[in-house]
Amino acid sequence: MNANWPLWEIFIRSKSGLNHKHVGSLHASDAEMAIENARDVYCRRNEGVSIWVVESKNITASDPDDSDPFFEPAKDKVYRHPTFYDLPDEVKHM
Amino acid sequence: MANQQDLYQYLLRLGDNALILGQRLGEWCGHGPVLEQDIALTNIALDLIGQTRSWYQYAAEVEGKGRNEDEIAHFRDAIDFYNVLLVEQPNEDWAYTITRQFLFDAFNYYLHLELCDSKDAQVAAIANKSIKEITYHLKYSSEWMIRLGDGTEESHGKMQQAVDDLYMYAGEMTEPDELDQRMAATGVGADLQAIRPKYFEKVNEIMDRATLTLPENQYFQQGGKKGRHTEYLGFILADLQFMQRTYPGLEW
C-alpha cells in the first residue's frame, strides 16, 4: 500500500508573518490527504497555522556534485555581508 | 434546571461514548496500515479521551461523592456503562473502523452543536471546546468513506460490507428514551428528535458520494444507553480497567 502512495514534502508556517519551513515528508495518495496527514503528523503539538504540501517529484534540487562551483565562490567575499556597519540595538533579526 | 441524578446519568452517556470509542481507536496504535493513519487515529483517540475527562470530571462533581474521573472510568461494570452499542463494535479492519467512526462522528457533531447552546453552562463549555475536534473527526471519516467507497472494486466491497454490518447500530443514537426527553425538556440536554433528520441527511449524503447503499432492513439494535451491551464491552473494560482493578489507586 505504502509503495503505491507518492511522497510529499511538507512545509509549515509556525505563526503568521513567518515563512513556511520544510519540516519533513510523508506518503499520501493525493494533495488533500497529504494536508490531513501533515496536520496529524506535524501539527499535533500546536506547531503551525498553515500547511503547504508539494509532491516530492515536483521539486528540482541542485546537484551536490555542483556544490563547489555553486557555493564556494561566495565564501571569501565578506564584503557581500553588511558586517562593516554598526547596527543600532533596535534593529532585530539581522 | 435538571434533576441531579438525571444530569449525572446523562453526563456518563456522553463520557462513555467518548471513552469506549477512544479505547477502540487506541487499539490501532502501532497497527495502522501506514504511519500517517496510525497517528491520525490515535490523535482522534486522544481527542476523545480528553473529552471523556471533561465529562467525567463534571459527572463526579454532580455526583458529589468525592470521586474523580479515573474512578468513574475504572470502577464501573459493563451494566453501569451507558455508551451506544456502535462505539463498542470491534475494529475488524480499516473499512469497519472508518464506517463506525463516520456513523458516530455525524451524530456526535449534531449532538455537540446542540449542546453548545445547553442551559447548563458547564455542558455548553465542554461542548464548545469539543466541537472543533469533532468537526475535524467528521471531515476525516467522511473523506475516507468517499475515498474508499468510491475507490477500487475491492475497497468498495469492503466498505459496503462494513456498512451492511454496522448500520443496525446507527439508529440508537438519535432514538430518545425517557432520560433524553427529560434532559431535552430542561434545555440542558440535546433534542434528539431535531438531530435525527439532520443525522440521516448527512449519512445519506456521504453514502451517495461514496457510492454505497444503506441496507434495506432498517431494524435498529439498541440497549447501550440502558446498560445492555453487546459481548464486546466486557472485553474492552477488562483491558481498560485491569490495572486499577488489580492495584486499586495505582499511580504512575
Side-chain angles (χ1 to χ4, degrees), chain B residues 13-62:
Chain B
R13 284 186 182 179
L14 293 166
D16 291 349
N17 278 344
L19 178 66
I20 300 303
L21 186 56
Q23 177 75 8
R24 272 291 188 221
L25 292 177
E27 292 171 14
W28 272 106
C29 186
H31 300 277
V34 291
L35 175 143
E36 292 81 357
Q37 297 310 322
D38 191 299
I39 293 179
L41 282 193
T42 39
N43 271 347
I44 295 176
L46 279 179
D47 286 346
L48 290 169
I49 302 294
Q51 292 167 18
T52 307
R53 291 194 62 188
S54 303
W55 293 124
Y56 283 179
Q57 279 166 358
Y58 187 32
E61 191 186 316
V62 170

Side-chain angles (χ1 to χ4, degrees), chain A:
Chain A
M1 190 177 182
N2 214 349
N4 301 329
W5 285 3
L7 192 65
W8 298 76
E9 301 300 324
I10 311 302
F11 300 82
I12 307 274
R13 184 212 295 276
S14 56
K15 57 180 177 180
S16 297
L18 295 183
N19 297 326
H20 285 75
K21 265 180 80 172
H22 185 241
V23 293
S25 54
L26 49 73
H27 290 94
S29 64
D30 57 33
E32 200 175 359
M33 191 196 287
I35 295 240
E36 291 187 6
N37 287 352
R39 180 260 191 198
D40 283 319
V41 175
Y42 294 112
C43 297
R44 287 180 291 161
R45 303 187 180 91
N46 201 20
E47 291 97 335
V49 296
S50 168
I51 300 172
W52 286 353
V53 298
V54 181
E55 203 175 337
S56 307
K57 70 175 187 194
N58 292 327
I59 290 189
T60 310
S62 61
D63 184 345
D65 291 342
D66 286 339
S67 69
D68 280 356
F70 260 58
F71 307 115
E72 195 64 29
K75 279 193 179 153
D76 59 356
K77 302 189 174 52
V78 289
Y79 48 83
R80 286 185 176 152
H81 298 274
T83 46
F84 303 101
Y85 300 93
D86 291 325
L87 286 177
D89 290 341
E90 291 76 16
V91 180
K92 300 281 198 299
H93 306 301
M94 288 297 281

Side-chain angles (χ1 to χ4, degrees), chain B residues 173-216:
Chain B
M173 297 180 284
T174 57
E175 185 67 47
D177 67 357
E178 311 80 55
L179 176 62
D180 288 317
Q181 284 165 356
R182 288 199 301 274
M183 291 302 289
T186 59
V188 172
D191 179 4
L192 294 183
Q193 306 274 25
I195 291 175
R196 194 178 184 84
K198 295 182 204 162
Y199 173 70
F200 283 101
E201 191 183 327
K202 183 72 183 175
V203 169
N204 278 305
E205 177 213 322
I206 299 298
M207 292 294 164
D208 275 353
R209 289 176 60 194
T211 70
L212 295 166
T213 47
L214 295 175
E216 276 180 26

Side-chain angles (χ1 to χ4, degrees), chain B residues 100-170:
Chain B
R100 181 186 64 201
Q101 193 66 34
F102 167 69
L103 290 174
F104 181 73
D105 289 341
F107 163 72
N108 212 27
Y109 174 75
Y110 292 114
L111 175 70
H112 279 73
L113 271 191
E114 285 253 329
L115 292 179
C116 283
D117 297 324
S118 170
K119 284 188 181 158
D120 183 299
Q122 186 68 14
V123 169
I126 297 171
N128 267 297
K129 182 168 180 289
S130 307
I131 192 76
K132 295 189 196 89
E133 296 171 343
I134 294 166
T135 303
Y136 185 78
H137 302 167
L138 178 59
K139 175 177 157 64
Y140 174 87
S141 57
S142 300
E143 281 175 13
W144 272 106
M145 290 298 292
I146 296 163
R147 193 182 288 283
L148 294 178
D150 191 17
T152 65
E153 199 178 318
E154 185 187 1
S155 72
H156 177 87
K158 288 186 168 184
M159 291 303 286
Q160 187 60 57
Q161 186 64 51
V163 170
D164 289 347
D165 287 350
L166 289 172
Y167 190 63
M168 69 172 113
Y169 301 108

Side-chain angles (χ1 to χ4, degrees), chain B residues 37-99:
Chain B
Q37 297 310 322
D38 191 299
I39 293 179
L41 282 193
T42 39
N43 271 347
I44 295 176
L46 279 179
D47 286 346
L48 290 169
I49 302 294
Q51 292 167 18
T52 307
R53 291 194 62 188
S54 303
W55 293 124
Y56 283 179
Q57 279 166 358
Y58 187 32
E61 191 186 316
V62 170
E63 187 193 35
K65 290 183 182 165
R67 295 207 290 176
N68 64 26
E69 75 257 32
D70 287 332
E71 290 165 310
I72 287 184
H74 290 126
F75 297 105
R76 280 183 297 143
D77 292 327
I79 198 168
D80 298 317
F81 269 77
Y82 306 111
N83 57 279
V84 291
L85 300 176
L86 177 67
V87 297
E88 67 201 40
Q89 298 310 304
N91 289 341
E92 301 286 355
D93 59 14
W94 189 257
Y96 276 79
T97 298
I98 289 298
T99 302

